[in-house]
Amino acid sequence: MSMMTPSEAKPIRVLIADDHAMVLEMFKQFLSNLPDFEAQTAPDLDTALEKMDAEGPFDLVLVDLDMPGMNGVGGLSKAIERNGGNPVGILTSNPTAHVVSESLSLGGAGIILKTESLKNLTNEIRFMANGGRYVPVELINRPRAKARDTSGNSSLSEREMTVLALLAQGKPNREIGAELGLAEATVKMHVKSICAKLGASNRTQAVIVARDIGIF
């Protein structure tokens, strides 16, 4: 019997459910460009459950903690039940220590942070799809550090809030500078500060985090 070559191996089928179109587009575009991944998306829990019934089970399902239908980690249990015993993990930005422990106790495959670099995402998905339980080191070592960010806009200056709102509209630094009467270098400085305060690695993730924690 002939051995299956890597090119013939079945791709890892991933379903990502999140109510932010930007998140879905970012994850799907990234994973779809990789030869060994097949990504599908859903905008809410009910749609994700329907996809699991119709096309599942998936090798891994990632559900946003705060999207419609989730009711906290309660939605995780529903997704686990519908994915035929295959792994289901939480996708979020600022999980509390309680959320982490409760999701694991319910049988969740772990936590993937939206603020993490995409280059780490493939290894995390492979690990979880193969039955591993993944929790980022920073959530284990510094469980309160993430919670502190949930105050969100209290740490952002008024100017940073304005820049952030324009980032959410998809405007580049040059247009933001023109609109606010700022040099492009100054806008870059504000974007860097916003990312640092929100724990994001880039402008897209900063907008995602801001929406997740209720800044707008």
Side-chain angles (χ1 to χ4, degrees):
M1 185 172 66
S2 62
M3 296 291 290
M4 182 178 290
T5 65
S7 62
E8 295 172 328
K10 291 183 178 180
I12 297 174
R13 298 178 65 243
V14 183
L15 173 62
I16 302 167
D18 195 294
D19 62 330
H20 294 148
M22 186 185 300
V23 175
L24 295 183
E25 182 179 350
M26 180 179 67
F27 277 80
K28 186 173 184 179
Q29 182 176 10
F30 176 75
L31 292 174
S32 295
N33 287 331
L34 301 174
D36 54 341
F37 285 93
E38 178 185 304
Q40 293 198 40
T41 62
D44 52 51
L45 181 62
D46 287 343
T47 304
L49 296 177
E50 290 172 2
K51 279 183 174 283
M52 282 181 252
D53 290 341
E55 304 176 44
F58 289 84
D59 296 313
L60 176 66
V61 174
L62 296 175
V63 291
D64 175 39
L65 182 64
D66 299 313
M67 69 179 171
M70 280 295 289
N71 296 318
V73 294
L76 175 65
S77 294
K78 293 181 180 179
I80 291 173
E81 291 174 4
R82 304 280 273 276
N83 200 38
N86 282 3
V88 179
I90 291 285
L91 184 65
T92 187
S93 298
N94 297 278
T96 63
H98 176 71
V99 164
V100 174
S101 61
E102 192 172 2
S103 64
L104 293 177
S105 68
L106 289 172
I111 307 284
I112 285 185
L113 298 177
K114 297 178 185 179
T115 52
E116 286 207 32
S117 171
L118 285 176
K119 67 182 180 180
N120 298 325
L121 182 64
T122 53
N123 289 333
E124 294 164 1
I125 286 180
R126 285 192 182 97
F127 181 72
M128 296 169 79
N130 287 326
R133 306 184 84 192
Y134 175 76
V135 177
V137 174
E138 57 264 41
L139 296 185
I140 299 172
N141 293 340
R142 301 191 303 275
R144 294 183 181 179
K146 287 293 179 183
R148 188 170 59 246
D149 285 340
T150 58
S151 60
N153 55 357
S154 64
S155 64
L156 295 179
S157 68
E158 184 176 345
R159 175 63 78 189
E160 287 168 347
M161 286 291 292
T162 303
V163 171
L164 179 60
L166 295 173
L167 289 178
Q169 296 174 24
K171 294 188 176 183
N173 291 346
R174 183 171 297 181
E175 287 186 22
I176 293 174
E179 185 162 335
L180 300 180
L182 300 174
E184 188 173 352
T186 303
V187 175
K188 288 181 180 179
M189 180 186 68
H190 284 312
V191 172
K192 184 177 180 180
S193 177
I194 290 167
C195 288
K197 290 180 178 180
L198 294 180
S201 60
N202 57 53
R203 58 201 290 136
T204 300
Q205 289 182 346
V207 172
I208 292 169
V209 173
R211 285 176 173 161
D212 264 10
I213 64 179
I215 290 182
F216 50 74

